[in-house]
Amino acid sequence: MSSANAPLVTRDLAHVWHPCTQMKDHERLPPIPIRRGSGAWLEDYAGRRYLDAVSSWWVNLFGHANPRINAAVRAQLEQLEQVILAGFTHEPVIALSEELVALAPTGLSRCFYADNGSSAVEVAVKMSFHYWRNVGRPGKRRFITLSNSYHGETLGALAVGDVELYKEIYRPLLMDVITVPSPDCYQRAAGVSWAGHSRAQFAHMESALERHAHEAAAVIVEPLVQCAGGMRMYDPVYLSLLRAACDRHAVHLIADEIAVGFGRTGTFFACEQAGIRPDFMCLSKGLTGGYLPLSTVMTTEPIYAAFYDEYVKLNAFLHSHSFTGNPLACAAARASLAIFREDGTLERNHALAAHLGARARELEDHPHVAEVRQRGMIVAIEMVRDKASRAPYPWAERRGLAVYAHALERGVLLRPVGDVVYFMPPYVVTPEEIDLMVDVAREGLELATCA
Ligand SMILES: *Cc1c(COP(=O)(O)O)cnc(C)c1O
């Protein structure tokens, strides 16, 4: 470790308990103190730079210290940093809501704010349950979810997700959900198309809805990409079928676009690729350009109306978080949306995504790569022990961690999910930076799979 980082590392390890981390790992790989960021790059206290190929956990869209977002936050800071959103309001939250409603699938006209993704999922789950109660169907109280899905870490969000590693220990604390096999196209048989596989997998969902619609409040999905589940992808046809089936069975559809929203999959929202409108859409992460914690649940007029009544009926949605709709976060979000409009970001991303995909697919022939898959600005490389059978490496070998460690040495922040090496860069990344991240991933793969 470089000497300028060392004092901070020592102080950090004395008191900071890091997220999603076995802290003992830091004996070998100490946390890296970051002094500043600029564009797609982070810089530590020793002056070493790291290309942020994972957008700082999938949040950053337009680079670190983006001048336009900085200016918007700075201007807001001089006006109002925070105000209670119950009984009071402010222009940034009003304008942001107007802009989101204009961008979202038609009919999502109401925005309920929280301050992180998991809380948005909690809101959607509670609202769906509560809606059915308000309209006289209190028996509809269960949730249908996909295998390998991820919706956050708070207890309700954890319950409706399905990543064993995060969930198993807490199972005694979690509500019981109905889990349906995912349309994940990595699992498709040879010769079957993505659409064919996703369509066939829908049979499981259809039968779950037939069996459980009377007791089901909602189906919750991550549209098109199960990110935390290893960037597993599926075809939009699944969402079209799901929308129609949810309507037929009177079950809500919750689209968790927390990771895939804001252009990640090539369209502004992933749902657009299926031409559907969910009943609830959860947004966070890229919502503020990755600047500040903020989330929102967008929903429809009929759902809003089911809560709109005399106070004494006691059917209002009495949920809140202290920092709900924070003005600084809303100002960052509006500045980020302005960049999309002014710079034609989705258009520009098409060229970047094409380059990223083409470079990453050069790894398809590698003897320990089972698949290279892409949806827009998300590209994933599935590293396996045996290419033919797709047998994975034993998880305890932590091959992905070896890729991570190598990439850091080479000045690139890659953070594989298990053995899935992926790229989810900020949209300000250049073709040359894409080349660097793919080259370094290749080296990391070679090293991680040679023994
Ligand atoms: C990150 C994520 C969440 C949780 O958001 P947090 O802000 O980390 O609580 C929920 N759903 C999806 C799909 C995510 O990727």
Side-chain angles (χ1 to χ4, degrees):
M1 186 199 329
S2 189
S3 56
N5 292 336
L8 282 164
V9 171
T10 306
R11 284 166 58 197
D12 175 282
L13 293 178
H15 300 295
V16 182
W17 191 342
H18 289 268
C20 201
T21 298
Q22 169 48 265
M23 290 299 292
K24 195 173 195 309
D25 281 354
H26 284 319
E27 290 176 9
R28 197 156 57 94
L29 271 176
I32 300 170
I34 294 299
R35 176 165 52 183
R36 65 163 77 94
S38 173
W41 293 87
L42 298 165
E43 186 184 317
D44 72 13
Y45 281 74
R48 289 205 54 188
R49 285 164 26 103
Y50 307 87
L51 180 58
D52 189 356
V54 300
S55 296
S56 286
W57 251 353
W58 320 343
V59 300
N60 189 285
L61 301 186
F62 296 112
H64 297 278
N66 182 289
R68 287 141 92 182
I69 304 177
N70 283 6
V73 174
R74 210 176 277 128
Q76 182 57 40
L77 188 56
E78 297 301 330
Q79 294 294 320
L80 176 69
E81 80 300 335
Q82 162 67 8
V83 67
I84 178 173
L85 198 65
F88 288 78
T89 192
H90 50 86
E91 214 239 335
V93 80
I94 296 166
L96 176 60
S97 305
E98 291 167 348
E99 289 168 19
L100 289 173
V101 168
L103 286 164
T106 309
L108 293 176
S109 54
R110 297 282 167 179
C111 303
F112 189 98
Y113 289 89
D115 47 24
N116 64 78
S118 303
S119 295
V121 170
E122 301 284 344
V123 166
V125 162
K126 285 176 69 177
M127 240 182 214
S128 174
F129 162 82
H130 197 160
Y131 167 89
W132 292 114
R133 196 172 179 280
N134 280 356
V135 301
R137 310 239 357 226
K140 285 167 78 71
R141 46 177 294 274
R142 298 189 70 192
F143 292 86
I144 300 177
T145 182
L146 295 176
S147 61
N148 194 46
S149 60
Y150 179 85
H151 298 290
E153 304 288 349
T154 55
L155 293 177
L158 197 59
V160 296
D162 184 49
V163 177
E164 275 312 297
L165 181 62
Y166 303 144
K167 184 168 180 178
E168 185 49 37
I169 295 174
Y170 305 104
R171 214 173 278 276
L173 306 182
L174 303 179
M175 70 174 154
D176 183 37
V177 299
I178 299 149
T179 307
V180 171
S182 160
D184 170 14
C185 290
Y186 181 67
Q187 312 286 354
R188 74 194 186 282
V192 176
S193 69
W194 280 34
H197 180 75
S198 296
R199 187 183 286 280
Q201 285 298 92
F202 190 76
H204 300 293
M205 180 61 82
E206 183 64 52
S207 69
L209 281 165
E210 271 159 24
R211 256 177 297 132
H212 296 290
H214 67 285
E215 57 170 351
V219 175
I220 181 167
V221 297
E222 296 155 271
L224 303 187
V225 189
Q226 296 186 312
C227 294
M231 304 295 162
R232 294 295 179 83
M233 301 178 184
Y234 60 92
D235 191 88
V237 70
Y238 191 88
L239 297 173
S240 314
L241 294 168
L242 181 58
R243 176 67 277 178
C246 284
D247 286 343
R248 227 169 27 247
H249 292 286
V251 171
H252 289 144
L253 174 54
I254 303 172
D256 176 352
E257 294 236 8
I258 290 166
V260 295
F262 302 99
R264 284 291 177 198
T265 67
T267 44
F268 199 78
F269 295 116
C271 280
E272 291 169 30
Q273 295 183 41
I276 63 150
R277 188 209 70 207
D279 300 291
F280 300 93
M281 184 163 76
C282 301
L283 304 174
S284 189
K285 291 201 166 113
L287 171 58
T288 60
Y291 258 63
L292 286 159
L294 182 70
S295 64
T296 188
V297 178
M298 300 186 71
T299 190
T300 63
E301 224 46 44
I303 288 169
Y304 177 77
F307 293 82
Y308 195 91
D309 208 337
E310 300 302 331
Y311 183 82
V312 292
K313 296 276 182 60
L314 294 179
N315 53 13
F317 190 62
L318 303 181
H319 179 109
S320 65
H321 298 284
S322 307
F323 286 101
T324 289
N326 172 263
L328 295 171
C330 291
R334 293 194 62 209
S336 175
L337 295 179
I339 296 176
F340 274 104
R341 286 193 303 273
E342 292 160 14
D343 291 11
T345 302
L346 292 183
E347 276 306 304
R348 295 187 55 238
N349 280 359
H350 285 157
L352 288 171
H355 183 65
L356 176 58
R359 285 301 324 275
R361 275 190 294 278
E362 291 171 12
L363 286 162
E364 266 171 351
D365 294 333
H366 190 281
H368 292 287
V369 170
E371 181 177 76
V372 178
R373 52 182 175 269
Q374 175 173 26
R375 182 68 75 180
M377 290 291 275
I378 306 174
V379 173
I381 301 166
E382 188 95 20
M383 182 165 62
V384 291
R385 182 174 57 76
D386 187 76
K387 194 179 181 86
S389 69
R390 294 188 156 188
Y393 284 108
W395 65 269
E397 293 180 4
R398 305 180 77 187
R399 306 259 171 171
L401 188 65
V403 177
Y404 171 77
H406 171 75
L408 285 180
E409 286 291 311
R410 292 275 281 118
V412 179
L413 168 48
L414 293 173
R415 198 174 189 279
V417 178
D419 289 345
V420 177
V421 180
Y422 70 89
F423 310 102
M424 204 196 281
Y427 307 156
V428 295
V429 73
T430 65
E432 294 71 30
E433 288 162 350
I434 286 173
D435 290 341
L436 174 65
M437 65 177 81
V438 177
D439 290 344
V440 167
R442 175 197 288 277
E443 295 164 11
L445 256 150
E446 295 291 349
L447 282 167
T449 59
C450 67

